[in-house]
């Protein structure tokens, strides 16, 4: 029996890779524009990092982690998200002591969660995200949201909905927590077993439950916005005003609590078209307690992450055509043994000069070589026969216009450089 790819994972094949590379390029471009610097952390970390960082009561930690023991008896986990690792690295490398504050970081890489695979939900997926550590200024919350919107806009997405909420500071969150316990307690037996556990562990997460979404007590639940103290309210108002000033529209959803434990103040999601319905493309928020929770000083942070796979579904749903150039500059057609031999150094020179070029390796007839040039979308085809070789010339055809010219072999590179459309 042949071995198959593990459930919930996918190969990204060569004919799909340009889209991925384009998205990554656009992300790096926006990182640069907003002055975020890429960081790469390991794909596995100590299990404890996620238990403490992501939160013991979250679905991720309780049900979804790929945890294993290495040969040295250490418990390691394939990272289910990026923030905890980045905060670990921030603390370990004492980035809080750098003169350049806030520390603005971006990342691109695979994440792993043992979830039930379905469209838009896989066990290995790729997240692109940013984290800004060290600033309590509401303009940095607005900045990370603006960065996300800019990237999606640059990629050509139009049907986006930015959803915003505030979970307030720990004092507001605590007051709200108590109100939620009070509210849900009388009917908690009618809720799923997860929610029953959540009541004491993290009652905010009940609002996020997919199973009990329609329970009447959900609709009458108190709103966090009524529990924000004046500082938290003012912080949220400033973030909203800055988004207004940048012309970024949003809607407020007081039930947006997000699945991870570490959030406070601003939380946000960007919804878009996905697999037949509106879906969450991106999630983020402020996490002021996380750095100290992971052994660092009291340093605030804010960030987001989105999945590239879901972004691809949204681009598809909106029929966005990405400007991807899949052509090669020149294909060399050689006729006869001597010409074939000569085509090797000619090709080598073209490539060394920075051009993309290829030739036949399958002993194809002339017609077959031209077909191959077509398949590769070659902009030019250079044909070398015995006769041309004797005169040291080569026949060059512009495949877009159909024009042909004979030029000296040693002028081929300069000719292509002059006529290629970039
Ligand atoms: P989270 O880290 O749970 O806040 O998720 C942020 C984003 O990552 C989501 O909005 C998705 O775009 C993406 N994402 C999360 N989990 C998965 C998954 N299992 N498969 C594909 N994408 C995912």
């Amino acid at each position: 029996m042949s071995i198959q790819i593990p459930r919930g994972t996918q190969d990204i094949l060569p004919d799909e890779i340009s889209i991925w590379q384009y998205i990554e390029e656009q992300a790096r471009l926006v990182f640069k524009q907003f002055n975020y610097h890429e960081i790469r952390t390991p794909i596995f970390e100590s299990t404890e990092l996620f238990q403490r960082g992501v939160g013991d009561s979250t679905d991720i930690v309780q049900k979804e982690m790929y945890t294993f023991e290495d040969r040295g008896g250490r418990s390691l986990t394939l990272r289910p998200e990026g923030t905890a690792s980045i905060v670990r690295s921030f603390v370990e490398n004492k980035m809080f002591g750098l003169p350049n504050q806030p520390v603005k970081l971006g990342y691109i890489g695979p994440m792993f969660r043992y979830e039930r695979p379905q469209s838009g939900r896989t066990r290995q997926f790729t997240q692109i995200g940013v984290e800004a550590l060290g600033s309590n200024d509401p303009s940095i919350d607005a900045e990370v949201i603006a960065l996300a919107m800019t990237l999606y806009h640059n990629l050509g997405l139009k049907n986006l909905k930015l959803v915003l909420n505030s979970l307030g500071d720990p004092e507001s969150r605590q007051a709200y927590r108590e109100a939620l316990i009070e509210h849900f307690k009388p009917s908690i037996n009618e809720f799923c077993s997860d929610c029953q556990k959540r009541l004491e562990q993290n009652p905010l997460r009940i609002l996020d439950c997919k199973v009990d979404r329609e329970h009447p007590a959900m609709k009458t639940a108190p709103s966090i916005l009524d529990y924000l103290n004046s500082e938290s309210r003012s912080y949220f108002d400033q973030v909203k005003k800055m988004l207004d000033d940048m012309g970024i529209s949003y809607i407020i959803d007081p039930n947006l609590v997000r699945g991870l434990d570490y959030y406070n103040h601003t939380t946000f999601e960007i919804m878009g078209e996905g697999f037949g319905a509106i879906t969450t493309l991106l999630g983020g928020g402020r996490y002021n307690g996380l750095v100290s929770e992971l052994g660092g000083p009291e340093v605030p942070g804010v960030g987001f992450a989105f999945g590239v796979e879901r972004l691809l579904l949204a681009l598809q749903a909106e029929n966005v055509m990405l400007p991807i150039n899949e052509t090669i500059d020149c294909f060399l057609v050689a006729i006869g043994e001597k010409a074939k031999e000569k085509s090797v150094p000619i090709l080598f020179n073209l490539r060394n000069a920075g051009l993309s070029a290829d030739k036949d390796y399958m002993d194809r007839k002339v017609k077959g070589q031209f077909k191959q040039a077509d398949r590769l979308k070659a902009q030019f085809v250079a044909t070398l026969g015995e006769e041309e070789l004797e005169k040291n010339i080569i026949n060059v055809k512009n495949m877009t216009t159909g024009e042909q010219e004979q030029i000296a072999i040693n002028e081929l590179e300069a000719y292509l450089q002059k006529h290629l459309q970039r």
Side-chain angles (χ1 to χ4, degrees):
M1 202 188 73
S2 63
I3 297 171
Q4 290 174 344
I5 195 167
R7 195 165 134 75
T9 66
Q10 60 165 344
D11 295 316
I12 303 164
L13 298 173
D15 64 346
E16 303 159 330
I17 202 74
S18 327
I19 298 187
W20 285 76
Q21 288 167 340
Y22 179 78
I23 291 170
E24 289 164 11
E25 230 172 73
Q26 292 296 311
R28 292 200 172 96
L29 207 66
V30 176
F31 288 174
K32 172 97 188 127
Q33 285 163 344
F34 284 70
N35 194 28
Y36 284 68
H37 295 267
E38 191 174 338
I39 177 167
R40 298 185 192 183
T41 58
I43 278 170
F44 56 84
E45 297 269 3
S46 293
T47 301
E48 196 195 348
L49 172 68
F50 302 114
Q51 283 169 339
R52 278 209 276 152
V54 177
D56 253 338
S57 75
T58 58
D59 281 357
I60 293 181
V61 171
Q62 298 221 328
K63 306 179 194 162
E64 297 171 2
M65 294 205 307
Y66 278 92
T67 297
F68 60 97
E69 213 172 80
D70 75 1
R71 286 166 196 269
R74 304 170 192 88
S75 179
L76 299 172
T77 294
L78 297 185
R79 61 182 187 192
E81 57 99 59
T83 307
S85 308
I86 288 182
V87 171
R88 193 244 341 115
S89 177
F90 177 84
V91 173
E92 203 166 342
N93 293 292
K94 300 194 172 54
M95 289 188 226
F96 46 81
L98 293 173
N100 264 344
Q101 298 291 330
V103 175
K104 304 205 290 183
L105 304 167
Y107 61 93
I108 300 177
M111 307 292 161
F112 307 84
R113 293 183 197 172
Y114 190 80
E115 296 191 80
R116 200 166 66 80
Q118 49 194 294
S119 178
R121 192 171 294 283
T122 48
R123 291 183 174 170
Q124 175 172 336
F125 55 99
T126 308
Q127 279 191 339
I128 298 184
V130 303
E131 314 291 349
L133 292 137
S135 169
N136 256 324
D137 190 320
S139 67
I140 198 100
D141 301 48
E143 175 177 287
V144 298
I145 296 172
L147 189 159
M149 293 303 278
T150 303
L151 177 56
Y152 280 168
H153 174 81
N154 290 353
L155 288 168
L157 287 179
K158 294 200 171 64
N159 304 335
L160 297 172
K161 193 168 79 173
L162 169 63
V163 187
L164 205 59
N165 190 26
S166 171
L167 299 179
D169 60 8
E171 184 189 278
S172 311
R173 204 177 150 144
Q174 184 58 24
Y176 183 52
R177 199 188 127 88
E178 281 160 23
L180 282 178
I181 296 179
E182 189 101 325
H183 174 78
F184 283 117
K185 211 169 199 169
S187 57
I188 196 66
N189 290 336
E190 297 158 24
F191 282 70
C192 70
S193 59
D194 279 343
C195 278
Q196 295 187 13
K197 271 188 248 149
R198 285 171 187 144
L199 184 72
E200 293 299 333
Q201 278 182 339
N202 187 357
L204 270 73
R205 296 239 42 235
I206 297 178
L207 299 172
D208 209 24
C209 181
K210 309 268 176 311
V211 183
D212 295 310
R213 208 170 8 201
E214 300 303 326
H215 192 284
M218 287 289 206
K219 301 206 168 57
T220 53
S223 163
I224 176 73
L225 300 178
D226 295 329
Y227 288 81
L228 296 182
N229 58 20
S230 63
E231 253 182 10
S232 303
R233 188 177 305 279
S234 148
Y235 194 91
F236 193 36
D237 287 343
Q238 290 178 71
V239 174
K240 287 188 288 185
K241 172 156 192 321
M242 287 167 192
L243 291 173
D244 291 337
D245 291 347
M246 286 189 280
I248 296 173
S249 45
Y250 53 85
I251 59 165
I252 306 285
D253 177 0
N255 279 353
L256 180 69
V257 292
R258 309 273 312 118
L260 295 86
D261 271 355
Y262 48 58
Y263 287 116
N264 42 45
H265 285 288
T266 321
T267 55
F268 57 94
E269 284 189 352
I270 298 178
M271 319 283 289
E273 286 187 34
F275 20 103
I278 291 290
T279 184
T280 306
L281 299 180
L282 171 150
R286 181 163 273 279
Y287 46 86
N288 286 354
L290 188 57
V291 178
S292 57
E293 175 66 35
L294 294 177
E298 283 290 337
V299 172
V302 58
F304 70 72
F306 69 88
V308 177
E309 292 80 0
R310 275 198 212 170
L311 167 64
L312 289 173
L313 290 172
L315 290 166
Q316 222 172 32
E318 288 201 32
N319 286 318
V320 175
M321 292 295 291
L322 298 176
I324 286 166
N325 175 11
E326 300 228 82
T327 65
I328 64 164
D329 296 333
C330 183
F331 189 86
L332 267 182
V333 171
I335 310 161
E337 283 315 306
K338 284 218 175 86
K340 277 186 191 168
E341 243 171 58
K342 180 73 182 169
S343 68
V344 172
I346 296 179
L347 193 62
F348 186 60
N349 288 339
L350 292 182
R351 289 168 171 172
N352 271 339
L355 298 173
S356 58
D358 211 348
K359 73 173 195 63
D360 168 62
Y361 297 94
M362 305 304 292
D363 207 15
R364 292 184 178 90
K365 305 233 159 40
V366 179
K367 209 169 149 197
Q369 294 190 43
F370 266 92
K371 267 201 188 145
Q372 178 68 358
D374 267 345
R375 273 193 292 268
L376 296 178
K377 302 196 185 89
Q379 288 194 47
F380 283 85
V381 175
T383 311
L384 192 63
E386 305 280 318
E387 217 174 280
E388 284 96 352
L389 193 55
E390 262 172 35
K391 294 190 213 156
N392 242 335
I393 56 171
I394 193 162
N395 187 57
V396 195
K397 182 172 180 185
N398 181 328
M399 299 302 278
T400 323
T401 63
E403 277 169 56
Q404 297 200 47
E405 270 187 81
Q406 286 199 326
I407 58 170
I409 292 180
N410 61 10
E411 280 172 12
L412 178 62
E413 183 232 320
Y415 180 90
L416 293 172
Q417 300 278 23
K418 188 168 161 205
H419 292 90
L420 274 166
Q421 279 187 327
R422 300 255 181 219

